[in-house]
Amino acid sequence: MQAVIDYLKEHQSRFVDELCEYVRFPSVSAQPQHRQDLHACAEWVTKHSQSIGLEARLCPTEGHPIIVAKTHRANTTNGHRPHFLIYGHYDVQPPEPFELWKSPPFEPRIEGSSLFARGACDNKGQNLAHLKALEAYLKTNTELPCDITFVIEGEEEVGSKSLTSFLKENREELRCDAIVISDTGMPDRKHPALTYALRGIAAFEITLHGPSRDLHSGIFGGTVDNPAMALCQMLAQLRDKNGRVAIPGFYADVEKLSAYERKEFKRFPLNMREYQKLVGVPKLFGEKGFNIVEQRSARPTLEINGLTSGYQGEGSKTIVPSWARAKITTRLVPNQDPVKIIKLARRHLTKMCPATVRMEIQSGHGAEPYIVSPKSPQAQAALRALKSAFGCEPMLMREGGSIPIVNVFKKTLGADALLVGLALPDDNAHSPNEKFDLDCFAKGQLMSAHLWRELTRL
Ligand code: BES
Ligand code: MN
């Protein structure tokens, strides 16, 4: 094991260079013009995996390619050799708005101990940390106590559609004891974390159609409804003053938080003032009766992610717009069902919609919430690995984000996910100036190196 640790230390600066190469690909899965870039990025991951000694292949899909990279299987005929999957994604969120980036999103910049680039922490840096740990085992000829398969996809940020069918088709090859995922956060540098719950998600787009074309607002305004106005009036009714989602039935299936969990949440290292500064709001807002930790991870929400209508350019244009559109997502907690939630939302919006406009609702991706016991032997092994790498006591936490594929892993492979994320709260995932802390990168490699020992010691 010492050889592995020494190897990681010795090659750290090359690893950082490699992360820089990785984040240069503008692998934005939501934008069709980047299709080739996703492919090129997938090829880079495949070649890189091969160069460190893994058997890797690029698997084309209807969407973006999936990379499967595995350790050479040891010839063990007797008994069960543990097998773990490491899941990650090479696709990234759109970098817009460009003008808020201090340096271009796909030209990595190192400042202090941070590497700035879109995808640096979500998720390229985090999956590269695991690849580097494996490289250290393979290049030092250190015996691995288990088989390992990397599955790195290119559609996580858009709902993981191709991977869902891929898992079903390759169920036998991918059967495993657990899935290890570093794609979540940790409270701060001194508190590594094991995440035992993720929120689910249900996405939809609502469009209101008014006049058949944009109309002169002086000539026609006052005789026709304004779709932007109608949409705002509808959207404004989706949340009440206590921060609760006002769709009838929305909370019907929400599991009540146990007294035990609510007590645990209070121990979370979170300072209200610092938190407010981090998010940059004049005053915090959230569902009444719950604290921030609960609001951001254990309670469901509804957000407008985008709102478009009329003229968006410089100066003014006096029109009644022909249409208005909102992109909406709800975050779900156990036991809410995304399909049911979309149905409830559709029914409610249909009821609210005035006859003066025509409504269209398009449902998008969905994912169920995820929760596992943090007390399992595997979870305990992960906690030990985190502790060895970071040198301090790890926390147990719930996260508010979603990783849609975790429930699919559970259903198709029957395996639970160990969520050992390396992102810091100020890493700006999905925001301008995304970064990854290079210390978390290095400690993440160490954690991964320890993890295989801990998991197989069980
Ligand atoms: N890494 C995130 C998920 C995440 C972020 C989990 C923070 C916990 C804490 C992941 O890449 C992500 O952003 N997922 C999307 C999924 C969605 C587009 C279906 C999300 O949560 O918005
Ligand atoms: Mn993301």
Side-chain angles (χ1 to χ4, degrees):
M1 191 63 186
Q2 195 53 43
V4 168
I5 295 170
D6 293 343
Y7 183 95
L8 291 174
K9 203 166 176 190
E10 190 183 328
H11 295 271
Q12 213 45 234
S13 79
R14 170 171 58 83
F15 296 169
V16 173
D17 292 344
E18 289 165 348
L19 179 54
C20 287
E21 267 179 55
Y22 195 4
V23 297
R24 280 180 181 276
F25 294 94
S27 46
V28 186
S29 51
Q31 301 175 339
Q33 72 268 28
H34 286 297
R35 207 181 160 75
Q36 278 311 316
D37 298 314
L38 277 123
H39 199 276
C41 187
E43 254 169 8
W44 185 89
V45 175
T46 311
K47 293 221 173 84
H48 195 79
S49 305
Q50 286 163 349
S51 77
I52 67 178
L54 296 168
E55 254 173 45
R57 64 182 201 272
L58 182 150
C59 312
T61 71
E62 264 172 40
H64 304 302
I66 295 164
I67 300 108
V68 174
K70 31 190 195 175
T71 50
H72 290 277
R73 297 299 185 247
N75 271 331
T76 46
T77 39
N78 55 327
H80 171 78
R81 183 166 158 88
H83 177 208
F84 296 100
L85 289 195
I86 302 174
Y87 164 81
H89 63 96
Y90 66 86
D91 64 320
V92 303
Q93 286 272 324
E96 286 85 348
F98 288 102
E99 65 279 12
L100 294 184
W101 285 81
K102 272 176 68 187
S103 51
F106 299 107
E107 291 174 26
R109 169 174 61 92
I110 294 173
E111 190 185 307
S113 70
S114 304
L115 190 151
F116 288 85
R118 171 56 91 232
C121 96
D122 187 8
N123 169 259
K124 290 170 176 173
Q126 300 199 54
N127 59 60
L128 191 62
H130 287 284
L131 279 166
K132 295 296 105 181
L134 256 282
E135 172 182 328
Y137 270 93
L138 299 174
K139 298 285 179 190
T140 57
N141 288 317
T142 305
E143 195 201 332
L144 256 175
C146 53
D147 292 334
I148 290 176
T149 305
F150 282 85
V151 176
I152 302 181
E153 68 150 322
E155 294 175 27
E156 196 274 343
E157 302 290 5
V158 290
S160 301
K161 190 158 163 252
S162 299
L163 184 56
T164 302
S165 28
F166 187 86
L167 290 183
K168 286 182 191 139
E169 286 154 23
N170 296 278
R171 187 180 268 149
E172 284 317 311
E173 178 187 5
L174 301 176
R175 197 171 292 287
C176 61
D177 297 277
I179 330 280
V180 172
I181 306 177
S182 289
D183 195 20
T184 48
M186 47 195 271
D188 57 46
R189 278 183 184 73
K190 289 202 196 76
H191 294 88
L194 176 72
T195 292
Y196 64 94
L198 294 166
R199 284 194 288 194
I201 190 167
F204 61 93
E205 268 187 34
I206 170 170
T207 310
L208 294 190
H209 299 275
S212 56
R213 63 209 179 278
D214 290 354
L215 296 176
H216 190 299
S217 64
I219 301 174
F220 297 104
T223 63
V224 294
D225 200 355
N226 182 312
M229 182 66 82
L231 183 61
C232 290
Q233 287 174 328
M234 287 169 67
L235 296 180
Q237 292 177 58
L238 292 181
R239 195 184 75 186
D240 71 13
K241 64 176 194 309
N242 292 326
R244 282 177 66 89
V245 179
I247 297 173
F250 185 81
Y251 292 92
D253 300 326
V254 172
E255 203 168 88
K256 206 168 167 258
L257 291 173
S258 68
Y260 169 77
E261 241 189 326
R262 297 200 78 174
K263 204 173 121 214
E264 283 297 301
F265 290 151
K266 291 218 174 79
R267 293 180 35 206
F268 199 86
L270 191 131
N271 171 313
M272 291 275 270
R273 281 246 298 283
E274 271 171 28
Y275 185 77
Q276 181 174 344
K277 217 174 117 201
L278 171 74
V279 289
V281 292
K283 189 168 190 269
L284 292 169
F285 176 89
E287 186 184 1
K288 258 209 184 115
F290 296 93
N291 67 30
I292 304 182
V293 176
E294 293 162 342
Q295 287 166 350
R296 67 193 287 254
S297 66
R299 294 294 297 168
T301 60
L302 179 143
E303 302 288 351
I304 301 172
N305 306 128
L307 193 52
T308 320
S309 181
Y311 178 64
Q312 312 266 330
E314 291 271 321
S316 76
K317 187 182 182 197
T318 46
I319 52 163
V320 175
S322 166
W323 57 269
R325 177 176 301 141
K327 292 178 187 284
I328 294 176
T329 50
T330 58
R331 294 285 171 169
L332 311 175
V333 300
N335 292 310
Q336 288 177 298
D337 168 19
V339 177
K340 190 168 162 192
I341 292 294
I342 298 267
K343 262 193 206 146
L344 291 174
R346 186 188 289 272
R347 186 193 303 159
H348 186 54
L349 289 163
T350 307
K351 237 188 217 161
M352 276 198 288
C353 182
T356 48
V357 290
R358 181 172 60 83
M359 183 181 80
E360 200 186 326
I361 291 184
Q362 208 174 40
S363 52
H365 50 76
E368 287 162 24
Y370 182 75
I371 189 157
V372 280
S373 165
K375 293 190 178 138
S376 72
Q378 287 184 344
Q380 297 303 313
L383 288 170
R384 287 194 301 274
L386 284 164
K387 187 175 175 177
S388 310
F390 285 84
C392 36
E393 213 49 60
M395 308 254 339
L396 287 172
M397 64 190 269
R398 280 194 185 207
E399 276 278 29
S402 313
I403 306 176
I405 204 71
V406 290
N407 282 297
V408 186
F409 275 128
K410 178 82 195 179
K411 273 183 205 154
T412 49
L413 307 179
D416 277 319
L418 288 169
L419 301 161
V420 281
L422 306 169
L424 291 171
D426 66 351
D427 274 352
N428 292 322
H430 296 204
S431 294
N433 303 305
E434 177 178 348
K435 68 169 176 67
F436 190 41
D437 190 272
L438 294 175
D439 198 42
C440 290
F441 184 42
K443 292 203 169 115
Q445 298 157 26
L446 265 181
M447 177 272 295
S448 181
H450 285 294
L451 189 57
W452 316 118
R453 293 281 161 115
E454 294 294 352
L455 279 170
T456 48
R457 232 175 57 183
L458 302 176

